[in-house]
Amino acid sequence: MAEIKYVITDEEGIHARPAGTLVKFVKELGCSATITKGEKTVDITRLMAVMSLGAKKGDEVTVSCDNQECLDKIESFLKENL
């Protein structure tokens, strides 16, 4: 699996609205991906799981994906939205 590290820049972190948008975006890509903060790793297509990470501004997350093209799209999404 390919992975990227990303530091959250949104003032409010990954709260309900951006988490929902992220989950929907990744579901539409149709790839298998996870997001990790600290020791906790969750399926990026599960809204409550993503929100349970409690990612705040300045936190580093790692996104892992089975497809490099999908990972590149997810990275672009994160940069534009979080």
Side-chain angles (χ1 to χ4, degrees):
M1 272 195 163
E3 66 179 37
I4 58 152
K5 296 192 182 297
Y6 181 74
V7 176
I8 305 300
T9 58
D10 187 282
E11 289 295 325
E12 296 181 28
I14 302 179
H15 58 91
R17 184 183 42 78
T21 306
L22 174 62
V23 166
K24 182 179 177 187
F25 178 78
V26 176
K27 281 183 179 179
E28 289 173 358
L29 291 176
C31 55
S32 176
T34 60
I35 186 168
T36 303
K37 178 186 162 231
E39 298 296 317
K40 188 170 186 177
T41 300
V42 299
D43 181 340
I44 205 167
T45 62
R46 298 184 45 121
L47 178 61
M48 296 307 288
V50 172
M51 289 178 57
S52 76
L53 292 174
K56 307 261 187 270
K57 181 179 181 180
D59 289 345
E60 181 178 78
V61 296
T62 302
V63 177
S64 302
C65 186
D66 61 353
N67 179 304
Q68 185 63 50
E69 184 179 339
C70 284
L71 185 62
D72 292 342
K73 290 178 181 179
I74 294 168
E75 183 175 28
S76 292
F77 177 89
L78 291 172
K79 288 178 179 178
E80 293 172 13
N81 296 283
L82 293 173

